[in-house]
Amino acid sequence: MNCPNCRALFVKSKFRDVCDACYNEEEEKFDEVYQFIRKRSNRTATMAQVVEATDVEEDLILKFIKTGRLRISQFPNLGYPCEQCGTSIRDGRICETCTKKLRTELKSLEKEGQRKREMTEQEKKVTYFVKKNLQE
């Protein structure tokens, strides 16, 4: 596969999604971010503050969080965006608001499906069949 950062050819694995050179660069950036937020005075830093202080891209920090390398449970002001609306969240893939909205939509779809099944059953009960008289 081609590296998404530098377009160099490399063998992709479940552990690495970039080439060796970019991986080493990411490791250096991870160390820089981790050293910054590890300090007691910086543990409450927001994502913007971490990006500004370390000059590491927000997308890369989000990658560290999503892969579990940075545990946001230790850093109360760090989070990542909801995949649906972009609100900052601390666990899961979507925020509570989007979860409720999806559940509501699913319930309405289930009710609609049930209503259609009931209408089909009702049509079967009302249908009359006429037997043709063969003696005529």
Side-chain angles (χ1 to χ4, degrees):
M1 180 173 182
N2 287 352
C3 177
N5 297 338
C6 67
R7 309 298 297 160
L9 192 61
F10 76 104
V11 177
K12 182 178 179 177
S13 70
K14 64 180 181 177
F15 303 109
R16 288 192 188 173
D17 58 351
V18 293
C19 68
D20 287 339
C22 291
Y23 178 77
N24 292 333
E25 186 179 323
E26 281 184 5
E27 285 300 306
E28 290 173 10
K29 289 181 179 183
F30 173 79
D31 290 337
E32 190 174 337
V33 169
Y34 189 71
Q35 292 302 321
F36 175 77
I37 59 176
R38 196 172 137 199
K39 291 179 184 173
R40 189 175 209 75
S41 61
N42 297 331
R43 287 189 183 163
T44 58
T46 62
M47 182 67 74
Q49 291 169 334
V50 174
V51 169
E52 184 179 325
T54 61
D55 289 329
V56 176
E57 303 86 25
E58 184 175 345
D59 291 338
L60 190 55
I61 297 172
L62 292 174
K63 180 180 174 181
F64 297 149
I65 292 171
K66 287 182 178 182
T67 57
R69 296 190 67 197
L70 287 178
R71 292 189 177 85
I72 59 175
S73 60
Q74 300 170 350
F75 311 107
N77 292 332
L78 287 183
Y80 52 93
C82 166
E83 291 183 6
Q84 192 74 18
C85 68
T87 303
S88 183
I89 57 175
R90 298 188 50 81
D91 63 347
R93 295 178 70 178
I94 58 175
C95 66
E96 193 64 32
T97 305
C98 292
T99 301
K100 288 178 184 177
K101 184 179 175 183
L102 285 173
R103 285 185 180 150
T104 303
E105 290 175 3
L106 282 172
K107 285 180 183 177
S108 68
L109 284 173
E110 287 174 358
K111 286 181 182 178
E112 180 65 23
Q114 180 65 26
R115 188 183 69 78
K116 285 182 180 180
R117 284 191 295 277
E118 288 173 359
M119 287 180 66
T120 304
E121 287 296 319
Q122 189 66 20
E123 286 177 5
K124 288 180 182 177
K125 291 179 182 176
V126 176
T127 306
Y128 295 100
F129 297 98
V130 177
K131 187 174 183 181
K132 189 174 183 180
N133 192 354
L134 297 175
Q135 293 176 0
E136 292 177 4

